[in-house]
C-alpha cells in the first residue's frame, strides 16, 4: 500500500446521550496524533443538530500528514469513506438511520475495504457480527470491552471509554497514533490522572479483533433508501404530503434510535389504553382482541409505555440486540400461546405468569430513559406517575 | 413617448376620487375582495390602515382586519392566512418592515402570494419619516417581487396587478409595492376607481389548488430541511421569479385592455426619450421633479434629455432596460437609497443598471446620483445639476462619469 497521507475516523453515537463522549474520542485522536507532528480536525455532523435522544449521529476525526493534505477534509459535513468507524453502543450495528441520512444504512457503509469497525461492547465479536449487515467488502471488527457509555453526560461519572477507544486505535493505526502518544495525550486530557494511561493500555491490550470476510453478517435488516428529488420534481413551497390516517412514514422509521424494545405480555394486559395513549410516536396498534401491540418499525424504545403501564411486568424493556427483526409478536401469541410465553420469558427474563414472579434478572440497561422506565415502572404502587392516575 | 389610451371594452362608468396613495391602496383592497389583512401602525404605511378601517366601518368592505401586536406578527398572520387560501394584504414601513424581516424572508420560500406595500421610509434612528428606498430594497434578494408606484393611480393599478401576478400559479411569490412616504402615501391625487365588474374580469379568484392547507388536503408546509434541499428550493424560486416577467407582461396587456391604462411597457415608463441623447433613470416619485426639469431644460436650453422610470425592480427587466438604455450616450441613475461600501460607492439601482449593461459591447456612460434621501425634496437646481453632470459624462468628462455624486448634500 502506498504511504497514506491521511486517516479518517468516524464515531457513531446516540444523539445527546453520547455526544460529548464522541467529541472526546475525536479530539483525543487529533491531540494524540499531534504528538508525532501530524495535524488534524475534529468535527460533528452539523446536519444532525438539533440531535434527538438516542438518534444515531456522527462525529469525525481526520488526521493528516500536513495542512495541505488536511484541506481536502475540511469544510465537509462527513467523509464518504473512512478508515475506521467506531460505534460506541453495540445496538448501532443493526444499522443507523439518522435524521439526515434518509434511510437505514449498514454500520460499515463508509468503511473502506480492509478498514476497521470498532464497537464498544460486552458481547463477543460473533454475537455482534450476527446483528451486523452482511459485509460487502472485508474489514476487521474490533470489540473494545465495555458497555454503552454515557460518560459524556454531566450526571455520569467518567468511565474512560474514550481512552479505551484511543488505546484500540493506537493498536490498529500505530503509524498515526503511537501508543506512547495516546498515553501522553490521555494524561493531559485527564489532567494528570494516571488511571487514564492505564485505560489506554487496557484498550490496546483487551480489544479483540476478528477479520470479517465478504458476505459475513446478517441479511435480516430491511434496506431503506430514499431518493432525493430534483428541483423540477419537488412541489413548490416546500410542501410534502402528510401521512394518511393510519399510514406510517415509509422512509423514516425511527427504530434506529432504539437500544431497548418493549415486549408485551398479552396475558396480563388489561386493555387500559395507557401505552397507546402515552406513546409519543403513536406506535401502538389495537389488535382484534383489543390488546395493544408495538409497531417495532416506528418504536424508538423510549420506555414510556413500560413506565405508564399499570400492570407489573406486562410491558418489559429488553436489550435490542436480542432481536433480529421488527416483526410483531401478537400473531404468535394468538396461534401458539405457550410458544409465545416461553419466548416472552426468554427475552424479558420475567415470568409470563404473574403469580410465579420474576424468573430472571432484568438485562443491563443501555438507555437511561428506559432505565427509569423499567425498574420502578412495572410496579404501579412504586410509580407516582401511574398511581396518581396519569392525566387525571 | 406618448401613451396611447385605448377605449375600454365596456361602457362601465368609473368614479373619480381625490385620494392619497394609501387611500388608493385601500380601494384596491376593497376591489380585490381581500379576505384577511393585518395591521400595525407605523408612518407612512398606517394611512392604508386608517383608510381600510374606514371602508369597513362604513360598510363598504368586508375583510378580516387583524390588528397584530407588531410587524412580525402582522406578516406571520397573513402568511398563514394565505396558506389556507385567503387573499391577503399587509404592509409596513422603514424599521417596522425590518421588525417583520424573519417572516418576510420565509414567505417567498414558501411560495405564498402575500401582497404588501412598503410605505418607503428612512431607517431611523434618528427618527425620520421621509422616503428612502432602503427598506424595500433590503428584500431584493429574498424572492419578493418589487414594483414602485409613481402616483396614487398607479398605486391602485399596481396593487390589482400585484394580486394577479403573485397568485398566478407560475409565480406564486409575494409582492411588495413601494410607495414613497409622504409624496405618494399622504398626497392626494385624482384617482380613477374602476368598477367591480371590470376588476372581477381582470382578477380571478385566488386558488392555491393542491397547495391549499386544509383538512381535506393534508400536507405539510415547510418541514425542516438541511443542506440536501436548500439549493433545489432556491432554484425553484428562481424559476418562479423568471416566470414572473412573462406573467407581468400578460397581466399588463390584460390590464390595458380592460381598464385602458398602464402605458406602453409594463416595466418602463419612458418620458421624452424619442430624441434624447441623455436620460436619467430612477424609481417612484422622483420622476416628477425630473419631468419638470426635462420640460424646462428642453425649453430653455434645447437639451435632448429624457427620463426612464423603472416600474419593477424585481424581477429586474434586464432585457427591456438594456434595450432602452443602450440607445443613449449617457445614463444618470438616481438612487433614493444608498449601499454603503458598494462598488463605486453607489446606490443599489446604480449598481444593478451597471451590471445589466455590462454585457453590451456598446454601452452608455453611467453616472450615479444619490438624491432625496430621508425624504429630502429633489429641487429644480438639483435636477439641473443631475442632467448637467450626466451630459458632461456623455461628452467624455471622466470626472463626472463612472462615479457617484451626492446631490443636495450640505458640505
Amino acid at each position: 500500500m502506498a504511504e497514506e497521507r491521511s486517516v479518517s475516523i468516524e464515531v457513531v453515537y446516540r444523539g445527546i446521550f453520547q455526544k460529548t463522549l464522541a467529541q472526546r474520542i475525536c479530539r483525543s485522536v487529533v491531540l494524540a496524533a499531534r504528538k508525532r507532528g501530524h495535524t488534524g480536525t475534529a468535527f460533528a455532523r452539523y446536519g444532525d443538530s438539533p440531535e434527538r435522544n438516542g438518534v444515531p449521529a456522527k462525529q469525525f476525526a481526520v488526521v493528516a500528514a500536513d495542512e495541505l493534505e488536511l484541506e481536502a477534509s475540511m469544510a465537509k459535513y462527513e467523509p464518504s469513506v473512512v478508515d475506521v468507524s467506531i460505534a460506541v453502543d453495540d445496538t448501532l450495528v443493526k444499522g443507523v438511520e439518522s435524521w439526515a441520512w434518509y434511510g437505514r444504512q449498514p454500520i460499515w457503509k463508509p468503511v473502506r475495504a480492509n478498514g476497521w469497525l470498532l464497537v464498544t461492547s460486552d458481547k463477543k465479536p460473533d454475537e455482534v457480527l450476527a446483528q451486523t449487515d452482511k459485509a460487502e467488502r472485508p474489514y476487521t471488527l474490533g470489540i473494545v470491552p465495555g458497555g454503552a457509555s454515557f460518560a459524556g453526560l454531566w450526571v455520569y461519572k467518567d468511565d474512560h471509554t474514550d481512552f479505551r477507544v484511543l488505546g484500540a486505535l493506537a493498536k490498529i493505526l500505530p503509524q498515526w497514533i503511537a501508543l506512547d502518544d495516546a498515553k501522553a495525550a490521555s494524561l493531559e486530557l485527564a489532567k494528570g490522572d494516571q488511571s487514564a494511561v492505564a485505560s489506554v493500555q487496557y484498550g490496546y491490550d483487551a480489544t479483540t479483533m476478528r477479520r470479517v470476510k465478504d458476505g459475513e453478517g446478517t441479511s435480516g435488516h430491511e434496506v431503506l433508501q430514499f431518493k432525493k428529488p430534483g428541483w423540477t420534481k419537488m412541489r413548490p413551497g416546500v410542501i410534502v404530503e402528510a401521512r394518511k390516517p393510519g399510514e406510517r412514514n415509509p422512509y423514516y422509521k425511527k427504530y434506529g434510535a432504539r437500544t431497548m424494545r418493549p415486549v408485551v405480555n398479552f396475558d396480563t394486559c388489561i386493555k387500559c389504553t395507557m401505552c397507546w395513549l402515552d406513546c409519543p410516536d403513536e406506535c401502538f396498534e389495537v389488535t382484534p382482541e383489543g390488546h395493544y401491540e408495538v409497531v417495532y418499525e416506528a418504536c424508538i424504545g423510549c420506555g414510556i409505555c413500560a413506565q405508564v403501564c399499570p400492570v407489573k411486568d406486562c410491558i418489559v424493556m429488553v436489550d435490542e440486540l436480542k432481536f433480529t427483526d421488527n416483526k410483531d409478536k401478537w400473531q404468535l401469541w394468538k396461534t401458539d400461546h405457550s410458544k409465545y410465553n416461553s419466548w416472552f420469558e426468554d427475552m424479558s427474563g420475567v415470568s409470563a405468569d404473574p403469580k410465579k414472579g420474576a424468573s430472571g434478572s432484568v438485562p443491563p440497561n443501555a438507555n437511561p430513559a428506559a432505565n427509569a422506565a423499567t425498574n420502578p415502572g412495572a410496579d404501579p404502587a412504586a410509580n407516582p406517575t401511574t398511581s396518581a392516575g396519569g392525566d387525571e | 413617448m406618448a401613451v396611447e389610451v385605448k377605449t375600454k371594452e365596456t361602457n362601465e362608468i368609473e368614479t373619480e376620487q381625490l385620494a392619497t396613495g394609501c387611500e388608493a391602496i385601500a380601494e384596491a383592497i376593497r376591489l380585490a375582495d381581500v379576505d384577511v389583512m393585518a395591521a400595525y401602525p407605523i408612518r407612512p404605511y398606517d394611512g392604508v390602515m386608517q383608510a381600510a378601517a374606514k371602508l369597513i366601518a362604513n360598510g363598504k368592505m368586508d375583510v378580516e382586519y387583524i390588528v397584530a401586536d407588531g410587524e412580525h406578527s402582522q406578516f406571520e398572520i397573513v402568511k398563514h392566512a394565505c396558506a389556507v387560501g385567503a387573499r391577503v394584504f399587509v404592509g409596513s414601513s422603514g424599521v417596522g418592515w425590518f421588525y417583520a424581516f424573519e417572516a418576510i424572508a420565509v414567505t417567498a420560500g414558501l411560495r405564498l402570494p402575500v401582497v404588501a406595500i412598503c410605505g418607503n421610509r428612512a431607517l431611523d434612528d434618528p427618527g425620520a419619516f421621509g422616503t428612502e428606498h432602503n427598506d424595500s430594497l433590503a428584500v431584493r434578494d429574498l424572492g419578493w417581487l418589487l414594483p414602485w408606484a409613481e402616483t396614487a393611480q398607479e398605486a391602485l393599478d399596481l396593487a390589482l396587478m400585484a394580486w394577479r401576478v403573485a397568485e398566478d400559479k407560475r409565480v406564486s411569490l409575494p409582492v411588495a409595492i413601494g410607495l414613497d412616504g409622504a409624496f405618494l402615501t399622504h398626497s392626494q391625487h385624482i384617482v380613477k376607481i374602476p368598477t367591480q365588474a371590470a376588476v372581477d374580469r381582470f382578477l380571478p379568484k385566488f386558488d392555491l389548488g393542491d397547495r391549499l392547507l386544509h383538512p381535506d388536503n393534508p400536507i405539510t408546509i415547510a418541514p425542516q430541511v438541511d443542506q440536501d434541499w436548500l439549493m433545489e428550493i432556491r432554484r425553484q424560486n428562481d424559476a418562479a421569479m423568471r416566470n414572473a416577467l412573462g406573467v407581468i407582461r400578460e397581466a399588463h396587456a390584460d390590464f390595458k385592455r380592460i381598464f385602458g391604462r398602464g402605458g406602453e411597457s409594463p416595466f418602463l415608463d419612458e418620458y421624452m426619450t424619442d430624441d434624447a441623447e441623455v436620460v436619467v433613470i430612477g424609481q417612484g416619485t422622483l420622476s416628477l421633479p425630473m419631468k419638470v426639469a426635462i420640460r424646462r431644460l428642453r425649453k430653455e436650453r434645447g437639451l435632448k434629455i429624457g427620463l426612464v422610470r423603472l416600474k419593477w425592480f424585481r424581477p429586474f427587466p434586464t432585457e427591456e432596460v438594456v434595450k432602452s438604455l443602450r440607445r443613449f450616450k449617457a445614463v444618470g441613475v438616481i438612487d433614493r437609497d444608498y449601499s454603503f461600501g458598494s462598488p463605486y460607492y453607489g446606490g443599489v439601482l446604480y449598481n444593478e443598471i451597471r451590471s445589466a449593461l455590462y454585457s453590451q459591447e456598446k454601452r452608455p456612460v453611467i453616472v450615479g446620483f444619490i438624491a432625496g434621501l430621508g425624504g429630502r425634496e429633489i429641487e429644480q437646481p438639483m435636477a439641473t445639476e443631475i442632467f448637467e453632470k450626466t451630459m458632461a459624462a456623455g461628452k467624455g468628462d471622466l470626472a463626472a462619469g463612472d462615479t457617484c455624486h451626492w446631490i443636495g448634500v450640505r458640505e
Side-chain angles (χ1 to χ4, degrees), chain A residues 12 14 56 87-98 101 103-109 117 119 123 127-134 139 141 217-224 254-263 296-297 299 318-327 343 347:
Chain A
V12 191
R14 298 268 173 209
V88 286
D89 175 342
D90 56 12
T91 55
L92 287 164
V93 302
K94 296 183 87 165
V96 290
E97 177 197 18
S98 99
W101 299 321
R104 196 195 62 87
Q105 298 179 358
I107 186 75
W108 46 254
K109 193 178 177 194
L117 170 63
V119 182
K123 296 191 171 59
E127 287 179 78
V128 172
L129 187 60
Q131 294 273 24
T132 309
D133 287 76
K134 195 159 72 178
Y139 64 91
L141 173 65
T218 178
S219 48
H221 300 315
E222 182 188 20
V223 176
L224 286 174
K254 297 187 283 195
Y255 59 81
R258 195 165 64 222
T259 57
M260 305 192 78
R261 76 162 64 176
V263 294
Y296 289 110
E297 286 194 339
C299 170
V318 178
D319 182 4
E320 178 60 27
L321 221 53
K322 283 190 161 191
F323 304 88
T324 53
D325 61 42
N326 282 323
K327 291 183 187 124
W343 174 86
M347 286 297 180

Side-chain angles (χ1 to χ4, degrees), chain B residues 15 46 54-55 71 83 88 105 147 156 159 205 251 280 304 317 337 341 350 359 372 379:
Chain B
T15 54
D46 60 353
K54 195 73 187 165
L55 285 175
E71 288 87 350
V88 297
L156 187 154
K205 291 263 177 262
V280 291
K304 290 184 175 175
D337 60 80
Y350 167 75
S359 62
E379 293 164 350

Side-chain angles (χ1 to χ4, degrees), chain B residues 26-154:
Chain B
E27 287 296 327
I29 295 169
R30 177 181 66 79
L31 288 163
D33 191 20
V34 165
D35 300 303
V36 175
M37 68 175 283
Y40 187 80
I42 184 168
R43 199 162 14 170
Y45 146 79
D46 60 353
V48 181
M49 269 183 82
Q50 293 169 32
K54 195 73 187 165
L55 285 175
I56 296 167
N58 288 343
K60 291 186 175 159
M61 181 161 80
D62 179 21
V63 57
E64 194 67 42
Y65 184 101
I66 301 171
V67 181
D69 62 348
E71 288 87 350
H72 184 274
S73 303
Q74 232 190 317
F75 281 74
E76 283 292 333
I77 287 165
V78 293
K79 187 184 86 185
H80 287 83
C82 190
V84 298
R87 174 169 287 163
V88 297
F89 174 82
V90 72
S92 192
S93 290
V95 288
W97 179 251
F98 276 60
Y99 187 52
F101 225 91
E102 190 217 14
I104 287 173
V106 298
T107 301
L110 301 184
R111 303 288 297 281
L112 293 171
V114 168
V115 170
I117 71 151
C118 186
N120 295 130
R121 168 176 172 168
L123 298 168
D124 42 347
D125 276 351
F129 307 121
T131 190
E132 208 174 275
H133 291 171
N134 275 100
D135 49 3
S136 281
L137 289 170
V139 310
R140 68 172 187 171
D141 301 328
L142 301 180
W144 282 67
L145 277 60
L146 296 174
W148 253 275
E150 181 190 38
T151 61
Q153 182 71 61
E154 197 175 43

